[in-house]
Amino acid sequence: MIEFSNVTKKYDEIEALRNFSLKISDGELLILLGPSGCGKSTALKLINALVKPTEGEVYIDGESVASKSPEELRRGIGYAIQNMGLFPHYSVENNISIVPKLLKWSKIDIEKRVDELMDLVGLQRNFKNKLPGELSGGEGQRVGVARALAADPKILLMDEPFGSLDPLNRIRLQNEFLKIQRHLKKTVIFVTHDVEEAVRLADRIVIMRLGELIVSGTPEQLMTNKSSEERNYISEFLGSEYSLKLLSRLNVEKYIRTLGVEKFDPETAVKLDSNLTQALSMMVSKGVDRINVCENDSEDIVGEIRIWDIISAYKGDKI
Amino acid sequence: MKKWILPASLIFLFFISVFFFQTIADVFLQFLPHKTIFIERTSLPELALQHIMLVVVSSLISIIIALGIAILTRIRETEKFQEFILSMATFGQTIPTVAVLALLVPFLGYGMKPILFALFLYGVLPILRNTIEGFRSIPPEVSEAARAMGMTPWQVIWNVEIPLALPAIVAGIRTSVILNISVATIGATVGVTGFGTLIVNGIRADDVLTLLKGAIPVCLLALAVDSIFAKLKILCYNLRHIE
């Protein structure tokens, strides 16, 4: 568990972080969300001691971060950042194996680990000897994620790791990362200013402003948050179509009706692993209120979904 | 290998000019109005060796001290000191060598000491400036990522920052060495032998041949060393990390 206890960070007279307290449980994917300059990157860097608190302390599993040697601490925490973080003079292989080398793993272990990681993040083996300058944006970010995961750290810090990618690649990498995360169950702290990215990935979202924690909760809780004094700021920041974005977290599979299924135009059918946003989008584009759902890998119809099921999707959930 | 033709031929010409200057001069002298040639106590190859040794020693001192200071300021993150060095480096280049030497002689006397010190002063500034600028040109995210991986400050410098700043560092060493090759000729005025001895004697005796005997090899030496560094610079850019 990671715990921020009343942390304040001042740069000269400017407070980047003010009286910040937060607990992050093991295996949680926490998103720090906020406009630029809200202190989210500062909060992230406090965890691996790249930034030292002016007041307060950060604890990992009950031990104060300040009490450990920063190098030892950082070797146990994965760190992935936007584009430029790869070492331009290191090959992909050497970039990935930095931390294992610092930890003095054997050569065979490192080689095995690099192969494993490249498979995990979907990089072909023949990329090993390329330099970062020869990679596309998406490939570079995959290397960045592989490098962060290299020594199998319990904690993963990610500072807008997909920020520089085009929308298509970004969504692809987000989905792949989610798959990896479901499998590895790391404690992930992920910084972004992109609401859609936050909704797609988060177990829990923390919204920040001017160095302060405004609200913390699951994406669903944020939608219905009525008690907070900062309601206006929250709804303004999340945007008026936030509830539509939330639909992307729900899978069609959970909402299909299998009884009395009629057959509609096969072109309107959505696949079983689509999310509700995609289903709704299909209905809007075809001007219908019911569509078929088919198997992922064939056109066999397994049920149907109605617009009312989508609209009331969150009504039934106890938030 | 084709790339090395220019440096190789310049080095070859340098050796020809050092070892066969007299032979070639004799051929031309037949067609020119004759003039007494200054008799040297030291042969041209010996003078060349002394000149080169002077440059090598002073350059090594400059390189070691410049890199040392640059690395220390990098680790200590002393922005103001870096600014000071950068302005000093620009300012230092504007002082004439002869003036520096004249100022040093009363303190250090004649001989090796003042010229080594002057060469060091001139040599250290370009390396220092380029190394600091080279470090500054590294994207801060790269250095931060290196620290975040758990590298110690020395590992960050050695594994990441020096390799990335290497083209700039080598460019600084290039300027410094070339400068020292020419400045070393002034050594003759404080009694240190080298190509400068021939140039100074040539001027004093109004003997063009002796003057050329010093001037031509020193020019060829500077050109040859410069072309070697030009190739080194390309090598640095292509540098891959080898472990």
Side-chain angles (χ1 to χ4, degrees):
Chain A
M1 193 179 77
I2 302 169
E3 184 182 354
F4 288 81
S5 162
N6 298 315
V7 178
T8 297
K9 174 65 191 176
K10 282 185 192 167
Y11 290 105
D12 296 325
E13 280 312 296
I14 302 153
E15 282 184 323
L17 213 59
R18 193 184 315 158
N19 210 8
F20 187 83
S21 291
L22 178 67
K23 282 182 187 176
I24 304 153
S25 34
D26 289 341
E28 187 176 22
L29 201 167
L30 181 101
I31 303 263
L32 293 176
L33 181 66
S36 43
C38 71
K40 51 195 194 307
S41 291
T42 305
L44 191 81
K45 287 173 190 172
L46 279 160
I47 298 172
N48 64 356
L50 280 176
V51 170
K52 298 202 164 49
T54 315
E55 282 165 44
E57 281 204 74
V58 182
Y59 300 94
I60 297 176
D61 294 330
E63 275 183 86
S64 165
V65 163
S67 70
K68 293 184 188 173
S69 120
E71 282 82 29
E72 296 282 324
L73 172 83
R74 290 170 190 156
R75 286 171 200 174
I77 300 177
Y79 188 67
I81 51 174
Q82 199 173 331
N83 49 27
M84 298 301 283
L86 296 179
F87 299 158
H89 60 304
Y90 275 32
S91 67
V92 167
E93 183 178 16
N94 282 335
N95 259 298
I96 295 177
S97 51
I98 290 166
V99 183
K101 271 181 194 156
L102 289 171
L103 291 170
K104 307 219 167 11
W105 288 17
S106 76
K107 242 186 160 167
I108 307 157
D109 286 346
I110 293 176
E111 232 167 85
K112 239 171 63 187
R113 184 64 183 155
V114 169
D115 286 345
E116 235 173 73
L117 285 162
M118 291 186 73
D119 291 345
L120 184 72
V121 300
L123 281 170
Q124 284 165 315
R125 297 273 174 90
N126 58 6
F127 273 64
K128 265 190 199 174
N129 293 318
K130 286 198 182 186
L131 289 176
E134 302 169 297
L135 303 176
S136 73
E139 290 156 359
Q141 285 315 326
R142 282 166 209 264
V143 177
V145 172
R147 182 172 74 169
L149 288 169
D152 203 17
K154 264 181 69 186
I155 300 168
L156 205 54
L157 307 180
M158 307 182 88
D159 195 345
E160 308 206 16
F162 311 133
S164 61
L165 300 179
D166 60 87
L168 196 72
N169 259 314
R170 185 187 301 197
I171 291 174
R172 188 178 298 157
L173 256 83
Q174 285 165 351
N175 287 335
E176 286 173 24
F177 176 68
L178 260 189
K179 254 182 227 162
I180 294 173
Q181 166 61 7
R182 279 192 193 120
H183 173 65
L184 297 178
K185 283 276 164 227
K186 304 282 181 197
T187 308
V188 184
I189 297 93
F190 191 111
V191 163
T192 184
H193 59 257
D194 179 353
V195 176
E196 217 164 319
E197 181 165 70
V199 167
R200 190 168 291 124
L201 299 176
D203 291 331
R204 183 152 66 105
I205 295 176
V206 164
I207 297 183
M208 296 177 65
R209 183 188 57 185
L210 298 172
E212 286 186 88
L213 188 152
I214 301 294
V215 70
S216 144
T218 64
E220 291 79 11
Q221 284 168 339
L222 293 186
M223 177 174 64
T224 53
N225 193 309
K226 290 192 182 92
S227 57
S228 172
E229 303 158 21
E230 300 281 358
R231 227 171 82 199
N232 287 338
Y233 174 73
I234 296 167
S235 51
E236 192 187 344
F237 185 76
L238 293 176
S240 46
E241 73 280 40
Y242 179 67
S243 50
L244 289 182
K245 286 178 182 154
L246 268 188
L247 289 177
S248 68
R249 290 172 64 83
L250 300 178
N251 213 299
V252 163
E253 197 171 357
K254 217 176 127 191
Y255 297 89
I256 55 171
R257 294 158 183 255
T258 46
L259 294 170
V261 174
E262 286 179 54
K263 269 202 170 186
F264 307 114
D265 181 0
E267 271 192 19
T268 63
V270 292
K271 298 211 182 294
L272 205 51
D273 67 353
S274 317
N275 58 46
L276 291 188
T277 310
Q278 289 164 322
L280 182 65
S281 173
M282 181 61 80
M283 290 179 194
V284 171
S285 72
K286 298 292 174 186
V288 295
D289 58 0
R290 313 161 65 176
I291 51 171
N292 285 130
V293 178
C294 65
E295 293 273 12
N296 289 327
D297 43 10
S298 72
E299 304 212 327
D300 298 340
I301 288 165
V302 290
E304 67 169 72
I305 185 159
R306 299 182 185 178
I307 197 157
W308 190 250
D309 300 330
I310 297 176
I311 289 170
S312 57
Y314 274 108
K315 210 174 154 195
D317 281 10
K318 283 208 175 93
I319 296 165
Chain B
M1 285 324 284
K2 221 175 167 183
K3 294 183 289 186
W4 291 91
I5 283 180
L6 182 67
S9 44
L10 282 168
I11 292 168
F12 179 70
L13 280 177
F14 170 69
F15 277 108
I16 295 281
S17 73
V18 168
F19 287 99
F20 301 103
F21 192 88
Q22 203 56 57
T23 327
I24 298 164
D26 286 342
V27 176
F28 285 102
L29 277 179
Q30 294 169 3
F31 309 103
L32 291 168
H34 219 65
K35 203 163 193 282
T36 37
I37 294 167
F38 205 86
I39 308 294
E40 292 298 331
R41 272 173 295 177
T42 327
S43 69
L44 192 51
E46 273 177 283
L47 287 175
L49 191 67
Q50 282 162 355
H51 194 102
I52 290 170
M53 282 311 290
L54 186 60
V55 171
V56 167
V57 170
S58 63
S59 295
L60 280 180
I61 299 173
S62 302
I63 291 168
I64 290 166
I65 293 185
L67 287 184
I69 295 176
I71 289 170
L72 269 180
T73 58
R74 181 72 178 176
I75 286 185
R76 291 281 154 86
E77 293 170 33
T78 45
E79 283 293 315
K80 282 199 181 128
F81 184 66
Q82 288 179 12
E83 289 297 338
F84 172 72
I85 297 270
L86 291 179
S87 54
M88 273 298 293
T90 322
F91 173 67
Q93 308 275 283
T94 61
I95 306 171
T97 341
V98 182
V100 173
L101 214 52
L103 284 173
L104 286 173
V105 169
F107 298 102
L108 300 173
Y110 277 87
M112 267 308 197
K113 275 191 213 158
I115 189 68
L116 265 182
F117 196 73
L119 287 183
F120 160 72
L121 273 187
Y122 273 84
V124 80
L125 292 174
I127 306 176
L128 199 48
R129 182 182 54 199
N130 270 40
T131 309
I132 290 175
E133 292 283 9
F135 281 153
R136 284 183 170 195
S137 69
I138 299 169
E141 301 92 328
V142 172
S143 301
E144 191 179 79
R147 286 197 293 144
M149 301 284 119
M151 288 190 185
T152 61
W154 284 106
Q155 283 171 327
V156 175
I157 290 271
W158 183 248
N159 292 329
V160 180
E161 298 189 325
I162 288 185
L164 290 180
L166 202 56
I169 296 173
V170 170
I173 295 175
R174 178 182 179 181
T175 313
S176 162
V177 173
I178 302 302
L179 204 66
N180 275 358
I181 289 174
S182 67
V183 174
T185 54
I186 310 282
T189 58
V190 291
V192 176
T193 48
F195 291 123
T197 315
L198 295 168
I199 297 173
V200 171
N201 287 345
I203 293 170
R204 278 191 195 141
D206 195 18
D207 178 354
V208 178
L209 195 67
T210 304
L211 194 150
L212 288 179
K213 205 171 166 184
I216 291 175
V218 91
C219 288
L220 286 171
L221 180 64
L223 286 172
V225 171
D226 189 57
S227 65
I228 291 169
F229 272 110
K231 298 297 162 207
L232 274 183
K233 196 175 148 199
I234 296 168
L235 277 185
C236 289
Y237 276 117
N238 298 339
L239 176 104
R240 290 183 185 219
H241 192 75
I242 302 152
E243 278 162 292

